[in-house]
Amino acid sequence: MGEIKKLGYFVNGSFKESKTDKYTDAYNPSTGEVIAKVPCCTKDEVEEAIAAAKAAFPGWSATPVKKRVAILYKLRDLLYQHMDELTMSVARENGKNWAESEGDVLKAIEGTEQAISAPSLMMGESLMDASTGYDTVSYRMPLGVFAGIVPFNFPAMIPMGWMTPICIACGNTIVLKAATFTPQTCMRIAELYKEAGLPDGVINIVTCSRHESEIFLSHPDISGITFVGSTAVGKHIYSTAAANGKRVQALCEAKNHALVLEDTPIERTAAGIINASFGCAGERCMALPVVVVQESIADELVTAIVEKAKALKVGPAYDKSTNLGPVINAKHKESVINWINKGIEEGAQLVLDGRDTVVEGYEGGFYLGPTILDHVKPGMTVGDREIFGPVLCIKRVKDFEEGLAVMNANPFANGSVIFTQNGHYAREFVRHTDGGMVGVNVGIPVPIGMFPFNGHKQSFFGDLHTLGKDGYRFYTERKVVTTRWFDEEEKKAKTVSTWDGTI
């Protein structure tokens, strides 16, 4: 049993002990041991964090953008210097294998590097003589305090890659509600921000329940909300916060599908599906939990996928030979198992069962092996709802048109993929798929940070997505200034006194 930390909350550049009497256990998913006691911060503590961010905003927003991003340059270097420490932190509190945990940190660095572009991407537009003698210029201005509500599955990337860097580079301040199950990586990076020279109060971190999080949605000092999580919660946040005049970007659930056509190379496609479906134990919104395959090659493809899935090594996250780590906790493991059982009850064929997986020496860990359900039919909830675990569903179709229709019938549209060597079908797929992020022979079509993370339908609520140019638009508002100057002769002519001496 390792040390069990009692965590605090981060406000005004330092950690404080919460006055709450409610703490939640955070686990090491690889062992099942409790590694931290996480406070449910009180209403007053959440409001304290908002007040600190508000107080820091005038000075930070007045800091020239080049000086703001100079701190991000220093942070980037610190993130690289602490790469192994941060990778271990993600692996220990989340359960991703070592390479995936390192990738989580690298994605935080990618978001930081994108924010370093703020001096260029915050630039406005101008036009001399918009009308005769009138010049007009637009500026991008920071708004104030933002709230970031964070899920458990990417402890580095989401709070410290997607949410914080562009927000503060644009001159705003932020209060993060870190994920209760995985707050420690986020908190450690906040310390590195301070080491890089970030003024106190620009970043603040609390952990709390949904009840306290409601404060963000109506608080007069919060200008906007950035959220990643379930669709039900995302809808609530979007509708409530927008009704209170706040900007919202809500990134929600997914059920990404891949369409595999009969001309695709089987072995290479199966390898891509394995990585996309079972990476990060399926606990990511860009996982590939459904493969829609043309009937003519379905048996051959399923055989190849099963063989490759069986070869995956299930084990503790920080063992560098592990391919598939544990899921986040016992409750979530139970939820995934219930979904597998539900699929069997609905009539799907279980061709690979990972429910009884046990890792020798780590019997208390929350392990599930790769699981594959074949012959998943329309109407089966297991093929339509997000499971968020290492479960792959196979849907069989006759042709491209049926496959596309099956995919577009799903209410979620985060990502969609086609595997084919046919240029016509690839082009038609790109044009007509509902997915907001599209892969052609790419299993996980997550764009790099200069492009937005672009979910559609019930996978996203809002107008401006995270990252890319959308990110800068979300964290700034336009101010348009029109100017006219008079020359001396015109000024004299217009200022001749008409006073007749009367008092």
Side-chain angles (χ1 to χ4, degrees), residues 59-313:
W60 180 243
S61 60
T63 302
V65 64
K66 286 186 68 176
K67 291 186 177 181
R68 294 198 296 258
V69 302
I71 293 171
L72 294 175
Y73 275 110
K74 294 177 183 177
L75 175 74
R76 175 185 178 275
D77 292 342
L78 288 170
L79 292 173
Y80 275 119
Q81 291 170 24
H82 292 267
M83 177 63 73
D84 283 351
E85 174 199 349
L86 295 170
T87 297
M88 176 60 83
S89 177
V90 173
R92 188 166 183 259
E93 70 175 344
N94 173 265
K96 287 182 174 70
N97 71 35
W98 185 267
E100 293 162 350
S101 295
E102 185 177 59
D104 195 334
V105 180
L106 287 170
K107 278 292 185 179
I109 293 173
E110 182 181 288
T112 303
E113 291 174 337
Q114 172 66 7
I116 287 168
S117 302
S120 296
L121 291 175
M122 280 188 69
M123 290 172 63
E125 300 170 323
S126 62
L127 180 63
M128 183 174 283
D129 277 335
S131 185
T132 304
Y134 292 83
D135 303 331
T136 301
V137 60
S138 69
Y139 300 98
R140 289 201 171 276
M141 309 292 291
L143 283 87
V145 181
F146 280 81
I149 301 176
V150 182
F152 73 81
N153 59 324
F154 280 87
M157 180 188 76
I158 292 177
M160 296 306 193
W162 285 7
M163 295 180 176
T164 299
I166 295 178
C167 177
I168 67 172
C170 288
N172 305 289
T173 58
I174 192 167
V175 179
L176 292 168
K177 190 203 90 67
T180 300
F181 299 144
T182 58
Q184 295 183 76
T185 304
C186 173
M187 291 177 172
R188 177 64 181 123
I189 295 176
E191 292 180 314
L192 295 180
Y193 262 107
K194 180 164 184 173
E195 186 177 338
L198 189 71
D200 294 346
V202 176
I203 296 174
N204 306 273
I205 303 174
V206 297
T207 49
C208 59
S209 73
R210 291 182 179 181
H211 176 72
E212 291 79 22
S213 297
E214 287 288 317
I215 296 168
F216 296 127
L217 311 187
S218 58
H219 197 287
D221 294 331
I222 294 292
S223 297
I225 312 284
T226 177
F227 165 82
V228 180
S230 72
T231 291
V233 176
K235 280 183 177 179
H236 169 70
I237 289 173
Y238 177 66
S239 59
T240 305
N244 282 285
K246 306 187 188 307
R247 293 194 173 188
V248 185
Q249 54 180 204
L251 289 75
C252 301
E253 293 174 50
K255 192 71 171 181
N256 306 317
H257 286 48
L259 176 57
V260 181
L261 299 185
E262 61 188 1
D263 67 333
T264 192
I266 296 294
E267 288 298 314
R268 189 173 67 186
T269 299
I273 290 168
I274 288 290
N275 177 53
S277 300
F278 301 118
C280 300
E283 294 175 324
R284 53 184 174 185
C285 61
M286 285 301 287
L288 184 60
V290 182
V291 169
V292 181
V293 58
Q294 207 164 352
E295 290 175 350
S296 58
I297 60 163
D299 289 342
E300 185 181 0
L301 180 68
V302 171
T303 298
I305 293 172
V306 170
E307 289 178 356
K308 292 181 185 300
K310 286 180 177 179
L312 294 175
K313 179 182 176 182

Side-chain angles (χ1 to χ4, degrees), residues 7 9 11 17 21 27 76 153-154 157 165 169 220 257 277 287 294 299 331 343 404 488 491 494 503:
L7 303 183
Y9 64 104
V11 63
E17 184 175 346
D21 59 357
Y27 293 87
R76 175 185 178 275
N153 59 324
F154 280 87
M157 180 188 76
H257 286 48
S277 300
Q294 207 164 352
D299 289 342
K331 183 177 180 180
L404 183 62
E488 287 301 313
K491 189 186 300 183
K494 291 183 178 293
I503 297 179

Side-chain angles (χ1 to χ4, degrees), residues 4-40:
I4 300 176
K5 296 180 181 179
K6 186 178 181 181
L7 303 183
Y9 64 104
F10 187 78
V11 63
N12 261 331
S14 61
F15 285 98
K16 300 180 68 173
E17 184 175 346
S18 175
K19 295 179 180 178
T20 187
D21 59 357
K22 299 177 183 177
Y23 282 81
T24 299
D25 290 339
Y27 293 87
N28 176 344
S30 296
T31 64
E33 296 173 336
V34 176
I35 56 174
K37 298 286 187 179
V38 183
C40 177

